Every structure is written in C-alpha cells, then in structure tokens.
Amino acid sequence: MFVHWLRNNVIASWLLAVIRIYVGFEWLTSGWGKLTGGFDAKGFLIGAIEKSGGEHPAVQGWWASFLEHFALPGVGLFNVLVPVGEVLVGLGLIVGLFTWTAALFGMIMNLAFLFSGTVSSNPQLLLLQIFITVAGANAGRIGLDYFVLPYLRRLFGRKSDYGSFPGTR
C-alpha cells in the first residue's frame, strides 16, 4: 500500500521532490567541493584499506582487497569519477532529470563509502534515495522527468506509467 502511494500519489510526488532536492543539494555541494578543491582519493583509499585490519575491522577484507588491487592503482580515474559523479547525481536529483538513475548511482556511491568505513551522512542519504528509487517515475514527476520520460516512452513505444496525471498521455 505504501509503495503504491509512493509510486502514484501526487502528494507523494511533492514530498519526494523536497527529499530529492535536499539529497541533490548534498551531492552537488560535495561534488563541487571536490571539483574545485583539488580532490585526491589516494588518502581515503589508503585509510579504508588500513581499517580492514586489527581486532575490530571497519572494512571487510574483500572490499579492502578491491580497493588495494583495483581502486588504488586506478586512483587517477577515481579522482575524476567521484567528483563528476557526485555533481551529476546532484544535478539530476535537483532538476528531476533521470531521477531514478541519479538516485541509483547515488546509492551505489553511498554504499561504496559505507563499505570503506565512512559513516557520515551516507546512511541518511542512502535511506532517502531508497524512497526515491522505490517511487520510480513519481519521484521525478515534479521535475524535468515530467516532460522527458513521456517523450522517451513515445519514442521507444512504451506506455507512460504516470496514469491520469495531466499532460502525460
């Protein structure tokens, strides 16, 4: 019943818009700070790898192995992907464009940060992004998705899932 409400109710779309803009602002400011502040993920990655040892490790061994053997050697790529990804997720959520995809990629980044032993605001953002992804297209109804998704559905021959929302059929 709650999922149906999230996916179809106009009031839910307005509440989701507020949540979406808040989460988007968090991503945008974080990514912008990294883009303009000379971000280097090397120290973060080394710190996460170090958290995998000791009596009570905060990072699982399999994740530390991934960081050590893939992420750390490719730190230059991550120095670009992380800030650009954060900015794109933020912009997508703020303007409501490809909302579901932006929230999904935000969730992936939040999980990666959590796996790396960084709590901060990641659990809160992850929870809010779960609501956005469960809501599907309704999360972007008050945004650019209102215009873009019906166009793409017509272009690719799919029926709109906005139901009787005006202007989407």
Side-chain angles (χ1 to χ4, degrees), residues 19-40:
I19 292 169
R20 206 186 69 222
I21 292 167
Y22 166 73
V23 173
F25 180 77
E26 293 295 314
W27 279 116
L28 181 63
T29 56
S30 178
W32 187 254
K34 288 177 177 81
L35 278 177
T36 59
F39 174 70
D40 186 6

Side-chain angles (χ1 to χ4, degrees), residues 5-167:
W5 183 79
L6 275 177
R7 289 178 171 244
N8 297 295
N9 190 286
V10 175
I11 294 170
S13 65
W14 282 98
L15 291 172
L16 288 162
V18 171
I19 292 169
R20 206 186 69 222
I21 292 167
Y22 166 73
V23 173
F25 180 77
E26 293 295 314
W27 279 116
L28 181 63
T29 56
S30 178
W32 187 254
K34 288 177 177 81
L35 278 177
T36 59
F39 174 70
D40 186 6
K42 187 174 184 177
F44 176 81
L45 294 172
I46 291 170
I49 294 166
E50 290 172 354
K51 291 178 189 175
S52 68
E55 193 172 318
H56 300 287
V59 176
Q60 297 290 312
W62 66 270
W63 185 255
S65 181
F66 164 77
L67 295 177
E68 183 176 2
H69 300 292
F70 181 77
L72 196 55
V75 72
L77 178 63
F78 284 91
N79 286 342
V80 173
L81 288 180
V82 171
V84 170
E86 289 182 0
V87 167
L88 290 175
V89 165
L91 288 173
L93 290 173
I94 289 169
V95 301
L97 181 62
F98 303 121
T99 304
W100 187 88
T101 305
L104 179 66
F105 279 105
M107 288 171 54
I108 291 168
M109 286 191 287
N110 283 130
L111 286 170
F113 300 148
L114 285 166
F115 283 150
S116 299
T118 303
V119 177
S120 184
S121 63
N122 291 304
Q124 172 193 330
L125 294 176
L126 181 62
L127 178 63
L128 294 174
Q129 289 164 141
I130 288 171
F131 285 114
I132 293 168
T133 56
V134 168
N138 200 33
R141 182 182 285 182
I142 311 301
L144 293 179
D145 280 348
Y146 176 82
F147 304 102
V148 173
L149 293 184
Y151 170 77
L152 291 175
R153 285 187 179 100
R154 282 190 305 274
L155 185 66
F156 294 107
R158 289 189 54 202
K159 182 183 164 225
S160 174
D161 64 351
Y162 282 126
S164 61
F165 200 69

